[in-house]
Amino acid sequence: MMFKDTEQHTALRRTIREFAETEVKPIAFMLDQNNEFPEAAIHLLGEMGYMGIPYPTQYGGAGLDARSYAIAVEELARVDGGTGVILSAHVSLGSYPIFAFGTEAQKEKYLVPLAKGEKIGAFGLTEPNAGSDAGGTETTAVLQGDHYILNGGKIFITNAPYADTYVVMAVTTPDIGTRGISAFIVEKGWEGFTFGDHYDKLGIRSSSTAELIFNDVKVPKENLLGKEGMGFKIAMSTLDGGRIGIAAQALGIAQGAYENALEYSKERVQFGKPICQQQGIAFKLADMATKLRCARLLIYSAADLKEAHEPYGMESAMAKQYASDIALEVVNDAVQIFGGTGYLKGMDVERAYRDAKITTIYEGTNEIQRVVIAAHILGPAGREAPAAAARKAKKAGETGERKKQIFDGSAQEKVDALVSALNADGYDFTVGIDPQTPIVQAERVVSAGKGIGKAENMKLIADLAEQAGAAIGSSRPVAETLKYVPLNRYVGMSGQKFDGNLYIACGISGASQHLKGIKTATTIVAINNNKNARIFKNCDYGIVGDVNEILPLLTAALDNGAAKTPAPPMVKMKRPTIKKPERSYPLYVCSGCGYEYDKEIGDEENDVLPGTKFEKLPEDWICPECGEERSQFIEI
């Protein structure tokens, strides 16, 4: 095995490098500065026939091999990491599931325009509770006649909202874990399918990343990919191949940084000679070149195994983990070689430094890659058995256990029910505070999200804050992007933390970083017109409705007809204990380790479905924690 590019590979590398140097490199700085998607360059890449590199010509692809695909991603990422991952996500994530699991009709309708570059593809797996653990998927698809009704959302989706075709994972059979997940092909433009904001990221800023939002989206039955329950298998198979693309992206970022550092080291003279001739720098360059070659051979080996239809899951995990780890090391050394110049904004190595980090995180963190590799080496014994507490944990929201009481009825009836509930909880609305009170000092906050609409609607927030005796707050986009309020008024993990009693979220969808800023609030009220907004899974009281209608009604309901008296110093109210329904069946506890078998949870690791009674367990079933036999369990 020579591990040398063939003439075909060399020619492709030359073509893609020329494209990257002429079409991407001149605008890479501005793409990064403006958080801008390179639409024109990607369109041209499609016209050249390279958006479907590894797919057969019968489906509109270039008919090249997996290594060719890796080379293309590498060469694009060499000048701009973001552009490299656009191709990677399109080919590996947005197109591969359709190629590998789609029907001929699905391939003709969706894969052909993707492979021709006429459309862009994306992949919807990640959710707040489903990242490394895909079993946490909460998006649902319910079959109704000839359509599935899709509800939920996805976060951190590469190529959104520019992609046209999305492969989306959703739960079709609840309560059976990963076996209940199915895959669907979803088109941009369908009613109820919308997007959240394009994330403002540290690096790969030319790559668009956004949230997918599904509200009663009708997905035709024929857009089910594979069969019901195959979604997890499809996702894992897709990620195996996707890791080759991310490894190639990491390699390209590192290769570009190395080449820049090498060139600079030949030009920079210190102590009478170029710094590349100083042993300390020469050794750095030698180590960088060695790491790059090792990563390249790992990537190409995984690609060749995939092309030969050999098992490659472990090798792709190794390639992704190693290439992204050494990418951080190589770009760090490149910045060091440049010295202070490399630390300046706008330098290629500075951008590479920021671009490289994400490659250790997405498409499976490098910690997960090591889990995958260990499982291949050790088999099932290499997996750590989940703790008993984790097995039976009911997923609480990101703000902890909440009442999640969503009011029904007309707008006025919903408002009346909310006010009644708040009064019963002990809130006094005859008192008030300065609406500009610092968030961290306020007992109550009325906060605006993007759902508030136009700037003039902030008066609705101000009016409600006055009657609720609250300070004015906001989500990050309202303060940073829309600039409706000063930056010191936005609430979230990266902003001001709210540790008071009452938080009223108006038009806020519930991004994770925002929820983490309010998780210690005693009471959270959510008002949003999106019934699937994440905020409703993290609130005590919720009203589904238009803020422009609800807020005036709520303001009037809290108005006691007199000026508010100054509020006394804040006393933190105790969050009520959420009553759990009483169990009507016994638990069985292992006398050896204390593990509790709960029939409602079952033992999915050992193929025991939820609902299986203890006496119906297989004869050879043993305690999943310590291995004790069934006879050693005690009924409680």
Side-chain angles (χ1 to χ4, degrees):
M1 292 185 290
M2 292 183 64
F3 286 106
K4 182 179 179 181
D5 282 350
T6 65
E7 290 184 7
Q8 183 185 50
H9 292 141
T10 301
L12 175 70
R13 185 184 299 278
R14 188 183 306 116
T15 299
I16 300 296
R17 179 168 293 199
E18 182 180 354
F19 170 85
E21 290 284 341
T22 58
E23 301 296 333
V24 180
K25 189 173 183 178
I27 60 172
F29 171 76
M30 292 307 300
L31 294 175
D32 177 69
Q33 291 293 300
N34 297 334
N35 216 6
E36 183 181 343
F37 188 84
E39 285 189 85
I42 295 301
H43 180 72
L44 179 56
L45 194 64
E47 288 184 341
M48 294 169 64
Y50 293 122
M51 291 296 280
I53 283 180
Y55 299 118
T57 54
Q58 72 182 95
Y59 296 122
L64 302 179
D65 60 9
R67 196 196 297 193
S68 298
Y69 157 62
I71 288 171
V73 173
E74 175 190 341
E75 288 299 324
L76 291 173
R78 176 180 158 272
V79 300
D80 179 52
T83 304
V85 81
I86 292 170
L87 178 64
S88 177
H90 167 81
V91 170
S92 292
L93 303 183
S95 305
Y96 175 79
I98 302 172
F99 171 69
F101 299 96
T103 64
E104 283 303 313
Q106 288 171 337
K107 291 177 186 178
E108 186 64 32
K109 182 175 181 180
Y110 293 108
L111 180 61
V112 170
L114 288 170
K116 288 182 175 180
E118 296 170 352
K119 293 186 176 180
I120 297 175
F123 182 73
L125 173 65
T126 306
E127 298 182 12
N129 290 319
S132 298
D133 177 12
T137 299
E138 295 176 354
T139 296
T140 60
V142 178
L143 183 60
Q144 293 184 5
D146 293 333
H147 292 79
Y148 286 89
I149 305 300
L150 188 65
N151 278 290
K154 302 291 179 178
I155 60 173
F156 303 142
I157 305 305
T158 303
N159 288 349
Y162 291 92
D164 306 280
T165 305
Y166 297 78
V167 175
V168 176
M169 302 298 146
V171 175
T172 46
T173 305
D175 302 324
I176 62 171
T178 56
R179 294 191 297 275
I181 298 173
S182 302
F184 298 89
I185 304 171
V186 182
E187 297 180 31
K188 181 168 72 173
W190 282 354
E191 185 177 356
F193 179 16
T194 57
F195 302 93
D197 289 333
H198 170 33
Y199 297 111
D200 191 7
K201 306 186 295 292
L202 171 72
I204 60 165
R205 291 169 58 80
S206 60
S207 164
S208 179
T209 313
E211 181 180 359
L212 312 183
I213 302 167
F214 306 110
N215 278 308
D216 293 332
V217 179
K218 287 186 175 181
V219 181
K221 280 175 64 175
E222 56 266 28
N223 279 42
L224 173 69
L225 199 54
K227 298 178 180 179
E228 279 199 11
M230 280 184 64
F232 183 74
K233 174 185 175 182
I234 291 171
M236 294 304 103
S237 175
T238 298
L239 291 176
D240 278 346
R243 286 164 185 155
I244 295 174
I246 298 307
Q249 180 204 10
L251 173 62
I253 293 169
Q255 181 70 36
Y258 164 74
E259 290 176 8
N260 283 322
L262 176 61
E263 182 180 0
Y264 180 79
S265 72
K266 293 176 180 178
E267 298 171 351
R268 173 71 167 162
V269 175
Q270 290 287 277
F271 304 106
K273 58 183 177 181
I275 60 173
C276 64
Q277 295 179 18
Q278 309 285 352
Q279 190 179 64
I281 301 299
F283 280 8
K284 273 190 192 299
L285 292 166
D287 286 344
M288 293 160 77
T290 301
K291 292 171 183 175
L292 289 168
R293 181 155 178 79
C294 289
R296 184 169 284 109
L297 297 184
L298 266 175
I299 295 165
Y300 292 0
S301 170
D304 288 351
L305 285 170
K306 183 176 188 294
E307 187 65 27
H309 303 290
E310 295 286 341
Y312 68 97
M314 180 176 73
E315 287 76 8
S316 68
M318 287 177 170
K320 193 271 186 186
Q321 174 251 307
Y322 181 78
S324 57
D325 276 349
I326 68 98
L328 294 185
E329 297 168 8
V330 170
V331 297
N332 184 66
D333 283 345
V335 172
Q336 193 72 19
I337 289 171
F338 269 84
T341 302
Y343 199 68
L344 296 178
K345 198 76 172 172
M347 296 296 292
D348 287 345
V349 291
E350 179 269 339
R351 175 160 43 84
Y353 192 84
R354 289 184 286 109
D355 285 352
K357 178 56 191 171
I358 189 61
T359 64
T360 69
I361 297 173
Y362 56 16
E363 297 213 27
T365 65
N366 281 8
E367 289 76 17
I368 289 296
Q369 303 313 312
R370 289 172 169 87
V371 170
V372 171
I373 296 165
H376 277 281
I377 295 170
L378 302 173
R383 296 182 193 163
E384 181 182 351
R391 288 173 180 273
K392 65 178 186 176
K394 303 289 185 184
K395 281 191 173 71
E398 292 169 88
T399 58
E401 291 285 350
R402 294 286 172 178
K403 295 179 182 178
K404 301 176 188 171
Q405 183 176 351
I406 310 301
F407 299 112
D408 294 320
S410 67
Q412 187 64 60
E413 289 170 339
K414 293 175 183 177
V415 167
D416 291 343
L418 170 61
V419 173
S420 177
L422 292 175
N423 286 333
D425 287 345
Y427 287 101
D428 177 8
F429 294 108
T430 66
V431 300
I433 61 173
D434 183 343
Q436 299 306 314
T437 299
I439 300 295
V440 295
Q441 298 174 16
E443 188 223 353
R444 306 171 191 175
V445 166
V446 172
S447 211
K450 285 187 69 178
I452 197 65
K454 298 178 181 179
E456 52 262 35
N457 291 339
M458 284 300 294
K459 186 176 187 308
L460 299 176
I461 297 294
D463 291 345
L464 178 57
E466 179 183 354
Q467 298 304 328
I472 293 174
S474 81
S475 65
R476 179 170 180 165
V478 168
E480 187 176 56
T481 306
L482 299 178
K483 303 187 186 321
Y484 289 174
V485 296
L487 279 174
N488 64 0
R489 302 226 66 83
Y490 90 71
V491 182
M493 181 171 57
S494 59
Q496 305 296 311
K497 311 293 192 301
F498 176 69
D499 188 35
N501 289 325
L502 178 61
Y503 190 81
I504 304 178
C506 307
I508 291 175
S509 61
S512 292
Q513 81 92 14
H514 187 84
L515 295 173
K516 286 172 182 167
I518 62 173
K519 65 181 180 181
T520 58
T522 304
T523 305
I524 298 174
V525 174
I527 303 169
N528 198 296
N529 63 0
N530 175 7
K531 67 179 182 180
N532 293 314
R534 197 178 311 150
I535 191 73
F536 288 124
K537 296 179 181 178
N538 291 276
C539 72
D540 294 285
Y541 305 118
I543 292 178
V544 179
D546 186 343
V547 292
N548 294 295
E549 179 185 14
I550 300 297
L551 297 194
L553 294 175
L554 182 56
T555 300
L558 297 179
D559 187 353
N560 60 339
K564 304 293 181 180
T565 59
M570 185 183 81
V571 176
K572 181 72 171 177
M573 297 167 64
K574 186 177 180 181
R575 190 188 301 181
T577 302
I578 308 299
K579 281 191 174 183
K580 297 182 179 178
E582 292 190 12
R583 187 169 30 85
S584 59
Y585 56 89
L587 292 180
Y588 293 83
V589 180
C590 176
S591 59
C593 68
Y595 165 78
E596 296 179 355
Y597 177 78
D598 184 338
K599 73 167 189 174
E600 292 299 313
I601 297 170
D603 178 17
E604 292 189 40
E605 287 287 317
N606 293 299
D607 296 322
V608 176
L609 295 176
T612 304
K613 295 180 179 179
F614 184 80
E615 55 270 23
K616 297 293 185 181
L617 288 171
E619 288 296 327
D620 58 352
W621 184 84
I622 59 175
C623 174
E625 298 294 332
C626 69
E628 286 281 8
E629 297 181 356
R630 283 176 50 189
S631 60
Q632 300 304 307
F633 277 69
I634 302 169
E635 180 181 338
I636 60 171

